[in-house]
Amino acid sequence: MMIFLKGLLIGMICGVPAGAVGALCMQRSILYGTKSGIITGLGSSVADSFYAGVGAFGVTRVSDFLTEYQTAINLLGGFLILAMGISFILKSDKYNTEIRHKSGYIRMFMSAFGVGITNPVAVVAFMLAFYYTGIDGSQGFFYSIVLIAGVFAGTFVWWIILTSFTAMIKKKYDIRIFNKVNKFSGIIMIILSVILFVKTISRLT
């Protein structure tokens, strides 16, 4: 039980819903409902759990690969965020319910997972958290699995909180605001992609 709680705490610390996925989750929660926001958060939590697994199992080859190709992965993530931001701005529909089907939810999950998995800095954050809590990858398979489950739960709690908060906000606004949400979310994601590009390029100089 203590292993799970330790993972839960680490997940809540490392999984604060800031950045592109946070904006994406709020945008989808407002436009398509709470379920869409939760599915978006689920994609991010799975990505975080992957990186937590790298740290918990001490998978040095994967960690070395992510470190070696961090620049390329960050650029890929930046282009993904930029493309999504532009698509939001170009959308002219105000309240489209067509995405509420299985394939739509899969796309929501995969896009959030894609943004999360192209952030290799996350594995460094989890490794540091594990280091300071005495986790070094030598505790065994079962220990690591329970720990990762705790991390997943900790990150996912944030998405439930965020989508619930967004649902409260949604009730106070008219449906006409939804088109502005698309444009605002797009602008935020474009700004975040530019910041990511600047940071990545600055490391090369």
Side-chain angles (χ1 to χ4, degrees):
M1 186 63 179
M2 287 302 298
I3 304 170
F4 180 84
L5 291 177
K6 185 181 289 188
L8 183 71
L9 178 61
I10 292 173
M12 293 192 71
I13 293 173
C14 296
V16 177
V21 184
L24 190 62
C25 179
M26 292 189 70
Q27 184 257 4
R28 288 174 174 172
S29 295
I30 291 174
L31 292 177
Y32 308 119
T34 301
K35 184 177 180 179
S36 298
I38 289 178
I39 289 174
T40 299
L42 179 64
S44 178
S45 289
V46 171
D48 285 338
S49 298
F50 170 79
Y51 283 129
V54 173
F57 285 106
V59 187
T60 55
R61 289 185 179 180
V62 176
S63 179
D64 291 343
F65 174 84
L66 294 171
T67 302
E68 182 178 356
Y69 295 99
Q70 179 178 342
T71 299
I73 296 172
N74 281 339
L75 289 174
L76 178 62
F79 282 116
L80 177 60
I81 296 170
L82 178 63
M84 294 173 69
I86 293 173
S87 71
F88 288 163
I89 292 177
L90 294 178
K91 282 182 178 179
S92 59
D93 52 318
K94 294 184 178 181
Y95 190 56
N96 186 352
T97 58
E98 291 179 3
I99 201 166
R100 292 184 179 184
H101 49 72
K102 187 175 181 180
S103 62
Y105 289 137
I106 291 174
R107 288 198 300 272
M108 288 180 178
F109 174 89
M110 292 305 299
S111 60
F113 177 81
V115 173
I117 207 68
T118 51
N119 178 28
V121 176
V123 72
V124 177
F126 282 112
M127 283 184 162
L128 286 174
F130 291 160
Y131 173 79
Y132 284 111
T133 52
I135 301 167
D136 58 9
S138 63
Q139 285 80 8
F141 180 81
F142 178 75
Y143 182 101
S144 297
I145 290 296
V146 175
L147 180 71
I148 295 168
V151 169
F152 173 84
T155 60
F156 196 58
V157 164
W158 279 115
W159 299 114
I160 294 175
I161 293 173
L162 182 60
T163 51
S164 300
F165 174 74
T166 305
M168 292 172 57
I169 295 176
K170 180 180 177 179
K171 293 178 181 178
K172 298 181 180 181
Y173 291 96
D174 189 82
I175 196 171
R176 290 172 294 181
I177 200 69
F178 295 158
N179 194 41
K180 294 181 180 179
V181 169
N182 253 346
K183 292 181 179 179
F184 179 75
S185 300
I187 292 171
I188 292 297
M189 296 191 77
I190 289 173
I191 292 173
L192 290 172
S193 68
V194 171
I195 293 173
L196 181 58
F197 286 141
V198 171
K199 287 184 176 180
T200 303
I201 294 173
S202 64
R203 284 199 297 265
L204 298 176
T205 58

